[in-house]
Amino acid sequence: LIRARMKDVTVSTVRFAPGRFVVFLDGPAAYAPFAVLREAGVKRTAYETVTDGTIVKRPDWEELANLDGDILLYVSASGFESGPDDALEQEVIGNPLWQLLPAVRNGRAHRVDRIAWQSFHGIASANRILDDIERYVLADR
């Protein structure tokens, strides 16, 4: 059981999209991948946790500083086609404000698969997310 082995760390998540960021929140109405995180015992930051029905926040560059989890998982999704995703990722991670995030400074920021995390398709996607938790949270130093 992943929950029984969960470390005492906080995890931030963010999606890069052209010209904006999307943070899917941990709360009663959480989008499925993030509900899987919660069920696995993953702790999110205060900024990323709500008690109401809010599903997302759309931070600007300055608000990204709120993503101060020990580990940061991110998706680069430029649109419906995955081709431009790598260029979008390079644009974001090259920005000095990105470099200030604690998980980035500590080498604990990891890109995760856009399909499992953004186009959730039931048990297969849930298993991919659990694999990412194993790889990036439980196996993290």
Side-chain angles (χ1 to χ4, degrees):
L1 284 161
I2 286 180
R3 181 183 277 280
R5 295 183 291 130
M6 189 51 56
K7 295 179 173 187
D8 186 24
V9 295
T10 53
V11 176
S12 288
T13 68
V14 64
R15 174 188 170 182
F16 306 161
R20 65 190 170 111
F21 300 105
V22 181
V23 174
F24 287 87
L25 304 173
D26 180 10
Y31 178 46
F34 306 93
V36 170
L37 286 183
R38 182 178 60 248
E39 290 302 315
V42 172
K43 292 184 211 73
R44 304 281 298 281
T45 66
Y47 175 78
E48 298 167 81
T49 305
V50 296
T51 56
D52 63 13
T54 307
I55 298 170
V56 298
K57 288 184 180 177
R58 292 181 172 84
D60 60 22
W61 274 105
E62 288 71 30
E63 292 171 302
L64 269 193
N66 291 305
L67 301 180
D68 58 358
D70 301 303
I71 297 166
L72 174 61
L73 304 178
Y74 66 90
V75 171
S76 186
S78 57
F80 292 110
E81 299 299 322
S82 61
D85 291 352
D86 292 343
L88 176 62
E89 177 188 31
Q90 292 308 310
E91 177 187 325
V92 172
I93 68 174
N95 188 298
L97 292 173
W98 176 258
Q99 299 296 324
L100 292 174
L101 297 176
V104 174
R105 284 197 320 265
N106 294 320
R108 298 169 88 183
H110 309 283
R111 181 173 169 182
V112 292
D113 180 65
R114 69 179 274 161
I115 294 171
W117 287 82
Q118 296 297 302
S119 304
F120 193 82
H121 295 296
I123 208 75
S125 293
N127 283 328
R128 287 290 305 269
I129 290 160
L130 293 172
D131 288 347
D132 286 339
I133 293 169
E134 285 277 356
R135 182 178 307 118
Y136 299 125
V137 180
L138 294 178
D140 184 72
R141 54 178 164 23

